[in-house]
Amino acid sequence: MADNTSPWPHSPVKVGLVGAGPWARGVHAPVLAAGPETELTAVWARRPEAAQETAEPYGAVAVARFEELLDRCEAVAFAVPPDIQADLAGRAAKAGKALLLEKPIGLDVPSARRLVDAIDEAGVVSQVVLTNRYHPAAQEFVRTAQDIEVSGARSAGLSGAFLGGDFATPWRLEHGALLDIGPHILDLLDAAVGPVVRVRGTGDPRRWIELTCEHESGAVSQASLSGSVDVEPGIMRVELFGPRHGLVYDSADLDHDECWPVLRQAFASAVRTGVSGELDARRGLYLQELIAQAAEGVQG
């Protein structure tokens, strides 16, 4: 991850934003506009009035066409459903633009793989917004976990997001927690316990699913996922157990705003150096492949 304690030594990265929904308005636009590492230059969305409402507070331009957005930026951030993201991000990569991607990076493995192939062919930088991994507490959790012996782990990613509100979106309601929450949990387990070599799933992704992961180290981890349970606030928790002492990551009491400066500088540093960090599109594809493996055992 980037060092966000030193002054930013470069010009701000000019970023265009695709999407104008709640996540784009509440996170992407203000985070990218805050600088000094990035500058929000343009917004494009299916609804022109929403693009205008998203762009105007930050002095960005609402554009009528995706191609116009590409002309106004050197990097593109996406806050749209995964099937739309995979298509448009591939086009942006071919235009030579760095990519800030949401998870999952595609709706399925083939679309995610096509996007990664386009990124590799174009040689552009990519980064995935795996929110937890940009929080200092999560980064410390992963660093500490890598130095201890872990026999097993249990985790939970639970919320009521699918019961109503801004994030009860069609793709989430159709595909459920495995595709939406799964990348977060699998990423944390893989980073903390070690590479996942096999994952099995059981249950219904629209209600409640359980994952069992076998790790390269021999450790076994389990995860409970649901976006359809009445819990407030949501739960994102990982517990590690071993022969000496355990370790816990729990997001309940964390200030999630601490993620955004870290994410912004990590992305801008990758763009300015031309080198993607650990959480790039290839990481997104790896997580998508694990999700597909887990989906083989769950109800459609």
Side-chain angles (χ1 to χ4, degrees), residues 29-240:
V31 167
L32 294 168
E37 303 91 351
T38 57
E39 175 187 350
L40 181 64
T41 59
V43 178
W44 177 78
R46 180 175 51 86
R47 295 181 296 119
E49 67 279 9
Q52 181 63 37
E53 290 172 5
T54 303
E56 190 171 22
Y58 309 103
V61 176
V63 297
R65 297 183 306 115
F66 179 63
E67 291 74 16
E68 187 180 350
L69 179 126
L70 296 179
D71 290 339
R72 290 178 174 269
C73 66
E74 56 187 307
V76 184
F78 293 86
V80 291
D83 53 339
I84 297 172
Q85 171 176 263
D87 175 56
L88 293 176
R91 291 165 58 185
K94 291 175 183 177
K97 308 302 177 181
L99 306 176
L100 184 62
L101 303 165
E102 276 298 330
K103 56 78 215 165
I105 65 169
L107 203 55
D108 52 29
V109 170
S111 62
R113 186 172 291 121
R114 284 193 297 272
L115 174 54
V116 169
D117 288 344
I119 290 168
D120 289 346
E121 184 176 345
V124 298
V125 160
S126 65
Q127 183 170 309
V128 182
V129 183
L130 291 159
T131 312
N132 295 278
R133 294 289 298 281
Y134 299 99
H135 198 287
Q139 293 176 350
E140 179 61 27
F141 167 77
V142 170
R143 282 193 297 268
T144 303
Q146 291 170 347
D147 290 332
I148 66 174
E149 183 180 350
V150 178
S151 303
R154 62 187 183 189
S155 61
L158 307 173
S159 81
F162 303 165
L163 300 176
D166 288 340
F167 297 104
T169 54
W171 76 267
R172 289 184 173 90
L173 295 181
E174 179 181 355
H175 296 281
L178 182 57
L179 200 60
D180 183 34
I181 305 170
H184 291 300
I185 286 288
L186 287 168
D187 172 65
L188 281 169
L189 289 171
D190 184 88
V193 184
V196 175
V197 295
R198 185 182 180 194
V199 56
R200 298 187 300 277
T202 184
D204 183 341
R206 291 183 292 270
R207 298 182 63 214
W208 185 289
I209 61 174
E210 293 287 336
L211 305 182
T212 299
C213 302
E214 299 174 15
H215 295 259
E216 194 175 78
S217 64
V220 175
S221 63
Q222 294 185 308
S224 302
L225 306 178
S226 180
S228 304
V229 290
D230 186 8
V231 292
E232 184 60 41
I235 296 169
M236 181 65 63
R237 182 178 174 89
V238 179
E239 300 176 87
L240 309 182

